[in-house]
């Protein structure tokens, strides 16, 4: 297994919207967080993306590991398989979903993994627990903190008023 010379910090997104061997989605997320170790954000309910109609339970974990990003990804995929995750429809129901969101090494790109996660800036269900856990962690692309990214994404927007007719 490829290792980096020093322990790195990783922010891992954790989600579930299907019952598994640990129970309901919230229990699946709690079991995954316990297995990952590190520090965990509170588990939150969120609406599904895509074709799934089941509510998700989401959280994030901040872990330290001497694994290189590809090795950590392999370990996360093994955990997903152990929880009963099977490859299938994109955005479909899943027992557990573990994603590398950020890495203290900055950016990483390979055929199997892109860090930062390409879509995390547009997903409140990722940013809310991530900002709760590591509010000052800066996005390597924009330089904004997780707190700033979450605030920008969830900022109330003015509703356009209909044009007045004279």
């Amino acid at each position: 297994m490829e290792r980096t010379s020093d322990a790195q910090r990783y922010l891992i997104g954790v989600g579930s919207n299907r019952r598994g061997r640990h129970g309901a989605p919230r229990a699946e997320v709690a079991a995954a967080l316990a297995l990952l170790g590190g520090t965990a954000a509170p588990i939150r309910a969120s609406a599904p993306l895509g074709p799934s109609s089941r509510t998700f339970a989401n959280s994030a974990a901040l872990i330290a590991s001497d694994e290189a990003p590809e090795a950590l990804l392999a370990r996360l995929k093994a955990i997903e398989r152990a929880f009963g995750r099977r490859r299938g429809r994109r955005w479909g129901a899943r027992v557990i979903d573990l994603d590398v969101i950020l890495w203290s090494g900055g950016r990483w790109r390979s055929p199997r993994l892109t860090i930062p996660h390409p879509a995390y800036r547009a997903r409140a269900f990722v940013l809310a627990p991530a900002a709760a856990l590591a509010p000052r962690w800066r996005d390597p692309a924009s330089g904004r903190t997780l707190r700033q990214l979450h605030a920008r994404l969830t900022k109330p927007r003015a509703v356009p008023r209909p044009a007045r007719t004279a």
Side-chain angles (χ1 to χ4, degrees):
M1 183 182 301
E2 183 182 349
R3 300 279 179 171
T4 59
S5 59
D6 296 325
Q8 302 288 318
R9 290 181 316 139
Y10 290 93
L11 182 70
I12 310 299
V14 183
S16 172
N17 73 337
R18 197 174 104 209
R19 187 170 196 79
R21 72 176 207 221
H22 301 99
R26 182 177 279 281
E28 293 297 327
V29 169
L33 291 169
L35 192 58
L36 288 171
T39 306
I43 299 170
R44 304 164 185 252
S46 64
L49 278 182
S52 182
S53 60
R54 298 177 181 187
T55 299
F56 268 83
N58 292 102
S59 185
L62 186 59
I63 65 169
S65 174
D66 62 349
E67 294 167 292
E70 288 279 346
L72 177 65
L73 178 65
R75 181 163 62 100
L76 296 179
K77 294 303 171 194
I79 292 170
E80 287 179 347
R81 286 189 301 276
F83 272 59
R85 170 114 187 237
R86 301 293 173 252
R87 297 197 59 87
R89 182 172 59 163
R90 185 175 185 193
W91 294 333
R94 60 204 54 198
V95 173
I96 200 71
D97 186 29
L98 303 173
D99 291 318
V100 179
I101 306 300
L102 293 168
W103 169 49
S104 61
R107 297 177 191 208
W108 178 275
R109 187 164 188 89
S110 71
R112 293 190 53 203
L113 179 63
T114 300
I115 304 173
H117 188 284
Y120 93 99
R121 292 173 203 88
R123 295 180 174 171
F125 65 86
V126 173
L127 284 173
L133 201 54
R136 290 186 273 227
W137 193 328
R138 292 197 178 273
D139 173 59
S142 69
R144 291 188 174 94
T145 65
L146 292 177
R147 179 184 297 145
Q148 290 169 329
L149 290 171
H150 182 253
R152 288 173 63 94
L153 183 64
T154 58
K155 179 178 159 182
R157 309 266 190 255
V159 177
R161 294 183 184 194
R164 290 188 175 176
T165 56

